[in-house]
Amino acid sequence: MPRQSLVKFQFISNSAEETRSLGVKIGKRIQSPAILILIGNLGSGKTVFVQGIAKGLDVPEDYYITSPTYTLLNEYPGRFPLFHFDFYRLENAADIYSTGFYEKLESTGIIAVEWADRLSEDLNVDHLRMDFAAREDNSRIINITAIGLEPIHLIAKL
Ligand SMILES: Nc1ncnc2c1ncn2[C@@H]1O[C@H](COP(=O)(O)OP(=O)(O)O)[C@@H](O)[C@H]1O
Ligand SMILES: [Mg+2]
């Protein structure tokens, strides 16, 4: 079996607006179902990024996107349905089954998952992985790994 193609890229964001704009750019490029795996501490910018993705997917502006910390999944209509998961409160990886995550993986929507490091196994499908880290100033280092050809296209020449 050939290994999936993989591209890594680092983005420095100096403000919430820059992180949101990165999401808008990537969201606009989405032309087929995609999986966005978002890793990073509280406050590192994962939800801000998803707000940008929603904008790029033409989710109506009257939806205000917050972390689905208690609901585990929020769903928004757009060019593609956006399924926004947050696994922060999950106690163990087995509980992920009850969130509907694996069903949504088979759907034609866009999946964005905060705290995806709660997933016990590596995802064996193409996806974009984003690692967010806050620095002492307000900036964020965002390490992006694109796994598969479609995800690579999403981050090409950003
Ligand atoms: N460069 C930046 N990128 C993203 N968010 C930033 C940045 N600088 C400051 N912030 C602030 O940090 C917070 C990030 O919150 P949020 O996106 O909810 O984090 P997470 O979902 O990772 O817990 C927001 O209050 C945002 O305004
Ligand atoms: Mg969040």
Side-chain angles (χ1 to χ4, degrees), residues 9-149:
F9 170 77
Q10 186 170 83
F11 184 88
I12 306 287
S13 161
N14 289 303
S15 65
E17 209 33 66
E18 279 185 29
T19 300
R20 209 173 276 114
S21 308
L22 176 68
V24 175
K25 276 191 197 158
I26 293 176
K28 281 189 171 163
R29 287 187 182 183
I30 291 178
Q31 300 299 340
S32 55
I35 300 168
L36 313 169
I37 295 294
L38 312 173
I39 315 263
N41 285 336
L42 273 180
S44 59
K46 303 181 294 297
T47 299
V48 166
F49 175 78
V50 176
Q51 290 169 349
I53 290 288
K55 192 165 181 197
L57 287 172
D58 300 331
V59 171
E61 304 262 341
D62 44 334
Y63 287 97
Y64 183 67
I65 282 135
T66 55
S67 290
T69 312
Y70 292 94
T71 54
L72 300 174
L73 168 62
N74 287 342
E75 208 172 316
Y76 304 98
R79 289 189 294 108
F80 290 91
L82 173 60
F83 301 110
H84 183 194
F85 288 92
D86 185 333
F87 291 164
Y88 184 65
R89 298 192 64 82
L90 285 187
E91 307 260 311
N92 58 64
D95 292 342
I96 290 171
Y97 285 93
S98 63
T99 67
F101 175 71
Y102 291 101
E103 283 100 83
K104 299 301 184 206
L105 277 186
E106 313 274 301
S107 79
T108 54
I110 307 309
I111 299 174
V113 196
E114 299 191 33
W115 294 95
D117 29 352
R118 298 276 197 276
L119 281 171
S120 57
E121 68 244 58
D122 280 345
L123 270 184
N124 153 25
V125 289
D126 289 358
H127 64 276
L128 205 60
R129 174 186 165 124
M130 323 246 324
D131 287 274
F132 295 77
R135 299 199 289 189
E136 305 233 318
D137 49 8
N138 253 343
S139 70
R140 304 287 188 271
I141 300 185
I142 306 175
N143 280 302
I144 309 177
T145 310
I147 298 152
L149 293 178

